[in-house]
Amino acid sequence: DAGVIQSPRHEVTEMGQEVTLRCKPISGHDYLFWYRQTMMRGLELLIYFNNNVPIDDSGMPEDRFSAKMPNASFSTLKIQPSEPRDSAVYFCASKSGGTGELFFGEGSRLTVL
Amino acid sequence: KNEVEQSPQNLTAQEGEFITINCSYSVGISALHWLQQHPGGGIVSLFMLSSGKKKHGRLIATINIQEKHSSLHITASHPRDSAVYICAVLNGNQFYFGTGTSLTVIP
């Protein structure tokens, strides 16, 4: 398996633009997590899905952020409109079962000017 | 208060030194992960453990469930070990992360 695949790897956009980040989890994994990493706050959970269903989205900063998982092999994280404070590295991770090992994607580095 | 505390925050060592990074947590635990992140790079899982000790090459991870404490040891450290090491505690289906320990190993 190729691992967790994220795109784009880097995104530079202007304030107010819509940003869509994409993730393909490892095949067979039933949990998918979206994390945000900043220097100030480290890794923060935004939302996670189990069997494509959002379970906990309490980490989503505000209504500008939304996430979907239309099927077991694809998820998106959307920011609309984007703001400079959204600049961070966004990681997608997946795992299998309750205590399975967590596998991270390479991350999407977002810069909002 | 953070659910997961790591120490030290930053660590500089000479090549060959024995290194210990500590992690204390306050939440219930299903498993604990040690993660490694190289500068500008992705995150990889080094260990997942729920009791006792695991060893992989020069890396050793231990956990004491009663004391809610885990340690990551690196023997014979090497410059390529320079990275940020993150402790992550699995509670239910939620992961709680430490803020990371930035390790620099000088040749």
Side-chain angles (χ1 to χ4, degrees):
Chain A
D1 201 311
V4 177
I5 299 172
Q6 289 187 246
S7 65
R9 290 293 309 278
H10 301 273
E11 174 99 6
V12 180
T13 191
E14 293 188 340
M15 184 172 67
Q17 296 297 306
E18 178 179 293
V19 173
T20 300
L21 307 179
R22 297 172 177 80
C23 176
K24 181 180 187 305
I26 291 174
S27 177
H29 282 190
D30 53 349
Y31 286 86
L32 183 141
F33 301 81
W34 280 103
Y35 294 101
R36 178 171 65 177
Q37 186 182 43
T38 60
M39 288 291 291
M40 291 298 294
R41 300 170 69 94
L43 274 166
E44 299 174 283
L45 175 69
L46 298 175
I47 185 171
Y48 80 91
F49 296 83
N50 177 218
N51 291 322
N52 314 339
V53 176
I55 303 300
D56 184 350
D57 65 354
S58 58
M60 296 285 262
E62 48 201 86
D63 291 344
R64 297 184 299 107
F65 285 67
S66 62
K68 294 182 180 178
M69 192 165 185
N71 57 62
S73 59
F74 184 67
S75 177
T76 59
L77 177 68
K78 187 174 290 188
I79 308 172
Q80 166 64 16
S82 57
E83 296 182 3
R85 61 191 166 123
D86 302 330
S87 298
V89 181
Y90 291 81
F91 284 100
C92 175
S94 70
K95 74 180 182 79
S96 176
T99 56
E101 187 174 351
L102 190 62
F103 292 85
F104 285 82
E106 291 289 309
S108 293
R109 182 176 294 276
L110 173 65
T111 302
V112 184
L113 303 173
Chain B
K1 180 185 181 303
N2 292 333
E3 292 85 358
V4 180
E5 300 275 357
Q6 281 186 241
S7 64
Q9 274 193 302
N10 297 284
L11 182 55
T12 301
Q14 291 287 336
E15 183 174 356
E17 283 186 11
F18 180 83
I19 288 161
T20 296
I21 300 170
N22 295 300
C23 174
S24 296
Y25 54 91
S26 58
V27 294
I29 183 172
S30 307
L32 183 144
H33 296 242
W34 281 102
L35 310 173
Q36 180 192 55
Q37 184 175 28
H38 281 101
I43 300 172
V44 296
S45 177
L46 298 174
F47 293 103
M48 181 179 74
L49 67 166
S50 54
S51 65
K53 174 174 152 179
K54 285 192 176 180
K55 185 175 189 290
H56 184 249
R58 296 179 294 104
L59 274 59
I60 302 167
T62 64
I63 187 168
N64 185 316
I65 298 296
Q66 287 72 33
E67 295 186 3
K68 296 194 169 187
H69 182 268
S70 175
S71 293
L72 176 68
H73 306 284
I74 305 175
T75 61
S77 59
H78 190 276
R80 64 175 175 267
D81 297 327
S82 299
V84 174
Y85 293 84
I86 302 168
C87 174
V89 170
L90 178 61
N91 172 267
N93 289 313
Q94 275 255 34
F95 280 94
Y96 293 88
F97 296 92
T99 52
T101 295
S102 179
L103 171 66
T104 302
V105 182
I106 300 169

